[in-house]
């Protein structure tokens, strides 16, 4: 399998969307805690996904032999993140509230302006393509694209123990915000208290 990392264009959007949402919903402890189904998640996310891809920061990993999308990394300008329609999908309210709390902590020292910080929103690799360094190659391509557009920093919301280890330990990014799953309250409930590993979600930042 020969892999080429390319900017995500319109002709690959649907395949990338299917892959990203399937992998993310299956792996996400947050979605499992809320009981969000894959179809509901896809319906909720689709408009935001299209807006993010239109920013030109996202990439795909293409099998050069078949043309299939084997991985994708969805990236947005942190200051231009599109908002989801939680009035239509109230079950997503805790996720939106969690993101707001991380943002509140992160921007406490000062506002983030457009063109400064990119957010790695979603990263996915097909199971049969894992172990080939595709995630790392996509991330390197994203960093190159972002730097060429004048961005200085990259952040990610890390909700799994694996991503926290990779980004904080291996990449050496700094922890800028953190919210305990056990203590996080939304509308009088504790929606993520069933998550015990990891104990918190972290927003980490690195230099490009």
């Amino acid at each position: 399998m020969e892999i080429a990392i390319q900017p995500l264009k319109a002709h690959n959007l649907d395949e990338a969307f299917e892959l990203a949402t399937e992998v993310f919903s299956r792996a996400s402890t947050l979605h499992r805690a809320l009981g969000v189904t894959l179809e509901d998640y896809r319906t909720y996310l689709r408009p935001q996904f299209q807006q993010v891809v239109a920013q030109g920061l996202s990439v795909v990993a293409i099998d050069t032999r078949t043309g299939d999308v084997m991985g994708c990394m969805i990236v947005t300008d942190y200051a231009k993140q599109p908002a989801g329609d939680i009035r239509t999908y109230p079950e997503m309210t805790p996720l939106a509230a969690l993101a707001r709390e991380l943002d509140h902590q992160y921007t406490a020292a000062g506002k983030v302006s457009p063109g400064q910080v990119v957010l790695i929103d979603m990263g996915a690799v097909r199971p049969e393509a894992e172990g080939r360094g595709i995630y790392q190659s996509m991330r390197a391509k994203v960093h190159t694209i972002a730097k060429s557009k004048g961005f200085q920093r990259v952040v990610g919301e890390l909700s799994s123990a694996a991503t926290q280890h990779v980004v904080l330990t291996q990449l050496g990014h700094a922890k800028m915000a953190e919210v305990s799953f056990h203590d996080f309250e939304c509308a009088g409930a504790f929606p993520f208290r069933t998550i015990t590993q990891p104990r918190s979600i972290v927003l980490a930042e690195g230099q490009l």
Side-chain angles (χ1 to χ4, degrees):
M1 182 187 298
E2 293 294 330
I3 297 294
I5 310 300
Q6 305 171 356
L8 175 52
K9 301 294 186 181
H11 65 279
N12 290 131
L13 190 147
D14 288 341
E15 193 175 356
F17 178 76
E18 295 292 312
L19 172 61
T21 50
E22 181 178 354
V23 171
F24 200 75
S25 64
R26 183 179 67 243
S28 172
T29 53
L30 302 177
H31 290 77
R32 289 201 300 271
L34 297 178
V36 177
T37 68
L38 175 57
E39 289 310 312
D40 284 347
Y41 179 51
R42 282 175 169 167
T43 305
Y44 166 78
L45 185 66
R46 184 81 189 201
Q48 303 167 64
F49 190 92
Q50 293 172 326
Q51 292 176 53
V52 167
V53 170
Q55 294 180 20
L57 296 165
S58 302
V59 301
V60 286
I62 301 293
D63 183 332
T64 57
R65 182 178 61 84
T66 65
D68 294 336
V69 172
M70 304 308 293
C72 62
M73 188 163 283
I74 310 306
V75 185
T76 182
D77 184 328
Y78 187 88
K80 296 181 179 179
Q81 299 176 61
D85 183 7
I86 58 175
R87 290 177 298 178
T88 303
Y89 302 95
E91 65 272 23
M92 305 299 286
T93 299
L95 285 174
L98 188 63
R100 284 197 302 270
E101 175 56 28
L102 288 170
D103 177 69
H104 175 74
Q105 293 182 30
Y106 180 53
T107 58
K111 183 180 179 181
V112 177
S113 299
Q116 290 184 331
V117 180
V118 288
L119 169 68
I120 307 294
D121 196 14
M122 304 172 76
V125 176
R126 292 195 185 280
E128 63 269 29
E130 291 177 353
R132 297 175 178 267
I134 292 175
Y135 182 92
Q136 293 86 342
S137 295
M138 291 193 298
R139 182 128 189 171
K141 183 67 171 180
V142 164
H143 287 195
T144 298
I145 292 172
K147 287 175 69 174
S148 74
K149 293 179 179 289
F151 289 89
Q152 298 98 44
R153 304 189 302 279
V154 56
V155 297
E157 296 174 358
L158 316 176
S159 59
S160 75
T163 55
Q164 289 178 14
H165 174 73
V166 169
V167 175
L168 296 174
T169 303
Q170 296 183 2
L171 297 181
H173 289 191
K175 185 187 297 185
M176 305 300 291
E178 184 172 16
V179 178
S180 164
F181 288 132
H182 184 272
D183 299 329
F184 178 73
E185 183 178 357
C186 179
F190 296 87
F192 303 118
R193 188 163 276 185
T194 57
I195 302 173
T196 58
Q197 189 61 244
R199 296 182 178 274
S200 60
I201 184 171
V202 169
L203 188 145
E205 179 190 78
Q207 297 296 316
L208 288 172

